Amino acid sequence: MYLVWTDVFSHPLWAVSTVILGLILRSQRRGSWDPRACLVQLKGKTAIVTGANTGIGKFIALDFALRGARVIMACRSEARGSVALHEIRKRSGNADVHLRLVNTSSLASVRAFAEGVLREEKELHILVNNAGASGLPRDITSDGLEVSFATNHVGPFLLTNLLLDLLKQSAPARIVNVSSMNHWKGMVDFSHFKGKNLGYTMDSVYNHTKLHNVICTNELARRLQGTGVTANSVHPGLVMTEIMRHYNFMVRFLFNMIGIFFFKSSEEGAVSTIYCAVAMEMEGITGKYFDSDCSLGLPAPLARDPTLAVKVFEFCERLTSKF
Ligand SMILES: NC(=O)c1ccc[n+]([C@@H]2O[C@H](COP(=O)([O-])OP(=O)(O)OC[C@H]3O[C@@H](n4cnc5c(N)ncnc54)[C@H](OP(=O)(O)O)[C@@H]3O)[C@@H](O)[C@H]2O)c1
């Protein structure tokens, strides 16, 4: 019988061996640090996790709750937040988990949330800026900011600054900003904040916002030296969450198909953030960027430039002081 080489791909063995190889690769992708083996307890500590109703944020909040922390789940939807709140309370047996509403794309909402925290909380030991969105369509918020910049960077930047005194008073305290390895593809251009000179192909705007996360975390860490408050940024990995919800069907389909074999689950995606927030070996470590396997990552060249970091941070301070 005459066979061409492409017939290999239609042979049943090809499909079977691909699935087996995929499952092997999937089982090998666990990171080096295991939260379950980390015995750190957070009783008496207060933690805020933004975007805690789903995806990575939900598992970060669950981990803190299991360690006995008072957890504030900062979510934008009361309905979605309540479902996650009850699940986390039930799974952790910790009743000291609470839902507070914040929309990080609205600076008024961020201010109202922060005022509530400052009124209600005596201490704050962990702040995780996890809420974020990718692929948002072109839009300008009521504050006049490009919507991805507002959601992923400006809102979290303002929130952190509003809570800084409380974090300092509660030191030792840790700030963890969830960025992405995509920050390597980002650029700095202050006109982007107002939605100018931006291309909207795939995740290009998202990448810029994630670069700003790393840059400002580095500068914040420098400013916080000696206060007992650390600030680090992380890449969670490629994680099967709802992060692709704003992309078209084809992109989501491909992401999910590849993701089944190669991407992390939400629980696995939470690990690098939990590492930075609770691990003993992270005590005093600040101004670093961590990869999804909890190893020290190399930030993009722009993120390593201290003079640029000062400029970007000061720009964001001026911008947020207007609201
Ligand atoms: N998944 C990945 O592969 C990946 C890779 C690199 C970095 N990250 C980063 O990981 C973080 C978590 O993402 P995820 O993958 O868990 O995505 P996700 O499942 O879509 O969860 C995102 C969370 O952010 C919240 N959020 C979005 N916009 C918000 C806003 N304006 N105000 C308040 N909350 C808002 C969402 O709330 P609603 O549910 O109410 O919309 C949700 O709770 C993000 O910062 C993302 O950039 C993810």
Side-chain angles (χ1 to χ4, degrees):
M1 197 169 63
Y2 178 69
L3 270 178
V4 288
W5 70 272
T6 46
D7 288 345
V8 172
F9 297 111
S10 52
H11 195 280
L13 259 182
W14 171 257
V16 172
S17 54
T18 305
V19 170
I20 290 172
L21 179 67
L23 290 174
I24 291 169
L25 285 169
R26 195 175 203 286
S27 69
Q28 299 299 310
R29 65 188 181 178
R30 194 173 287 282
S32 54
W33 186 79
D34 183 357
R36 284 166 298 189
C38 169
L39 302 178
V40 171
Q41 287 299 305
L42 296 176
K43 219 162 181 43
K45 306 280 184 194
T46 301
I48 294 178
V49 183
T50 67
N53 60 285
T54 187
I56 296 163
K58 188 164 96 176
F59 282 92
I60 297 168
L62 174 63
D63 180 277
F64 295 170
L66 286 165
R67 292 175 198 279
R70 172 175 170 80
V71 183
I72 295 162
M73 299 170 59
C75 306
R76 68 172 155 179
S77 154
E78 180 139 37
R80 283 162 68 79
S82 295
V83 173
L85 172 74
H86 291 120
E87 185 189 330
I88 291 177
R89 279 187 178 167
K90 198 168 162 202
R91 286 178 70 176
S92 65
N94 183 346
D96 202 7
V97 182
H98 308 274
L99 173 67
R100 298 286 180 270
L101 298 184
V102 65
N103 180 347
T104 60
S105 69
S106 155
L107 298 184
S109 170
V110 169
R111 280 197 185 275
F113 170 80
E115 274 162 24
V117 171
L118 296 177
R119 202 171 44 243
E120 291 166 13
E121 306 301 328
K122 290 186 202 72
E123 293 187 303
L124 177 60
H125 306 93
I126 300 172
L127 170 63
V128 177
N129 284 305
N130 161 77
S134 182
L136 287 174
R138 186 189 296 268
D139 200 8
I140 300 291
T141 67
S142 55
D143 299 317
L145 299 171
E146 196 286 328
V147 67
S148 296
F149 271 83
T151 308
N152 296 352
H153 182 65
V154 185
F157 177 91
L158 176 63
L159 178 61
T160 306
N161 280 295
L162 293 173
L163 298 179
L164 220 44
D165 285 341
L166 184 59
L167 286 156
K168 286 182 195 165
Q169 286 159 28
S170 319
R174 301 184 189 186
I175 300 164
V176 187
N177 291 329
V178 181
S179 178
S180 164
M181 68 173 182
N182 277 20
H183 79 272
W184 268 81
K185 295 188 263 173
M187 281 171 53
V188 173
D189 177 340
F190 294 144
S191 72
H192 287 169
F193 283 76
K194 297 280 166 99
K196 300 200 176 105
N197 305 314
L198 278 168
Y200 278 79
T201 26
M202 279 298 289
D203 51 5
S204 60
V205 182
Y206 173 80
N207 301 341
H208 302 323
T209 65
K210 291 290 156 179
L211 173 63
H212 285 75
N213 290 163
V214 183
I215 288 177
C216 286
T217 309
N218 292 350
E219 173 58 12
L220 179 64
R222 194 187 65 77
R223 291 176 179 221
L224 287 172
Q225 287 290 349
T227 64
V229 183
T230 61
N232 293 291
S233 48
V234 297
H235 169 53
L238 289 167
V239 191
M240 293 278 281
T241 63
E242 296 177 48
I243 192 75
M244 300 305 284
R245 62 178 108 168
H246 300 290
Y247 291 88
N248 66 40
F249 171 78
M250 214 41 222
V251 175
R252 289 202 314 274
F253 177 76
L254 278 174
F255 183 87
N256 290 330
M257 284 314 288
I258 301 169
I260 289 170
F261 296 116
F262 299 108
F263 296 173
K264 289 171 185 268
S265 65
S266 296
E267 188 174 7
E268 291 165 335
V271 171
S272 55
T273 304
I274 298 167
Y275 174 75
C276 288
V278 308
M280 297 268 270
E281 54 266 45
M282 280 300 294
E283 211 171 287
I285 306 289
T286 192
K288 307 285 183 213
Y289 165 75
F290 286 84
D291 272 326
S292 57
D293 63 355
C294 305
S295 66
L296 209 53
L298 184 68
L302 284 176
R304 280 178 269 155
D305 177 350
T307 53
L308 179 67
V310 172
K311 280 185 207 145
V312 173
F313 200 95
E314 286 177 353
F315 174 83
C316 294
E317 275 183 321
R318 281 196 301 278
L319 190 68
T320 49
S321 69
K322 289 182 199 151
F323 299 96

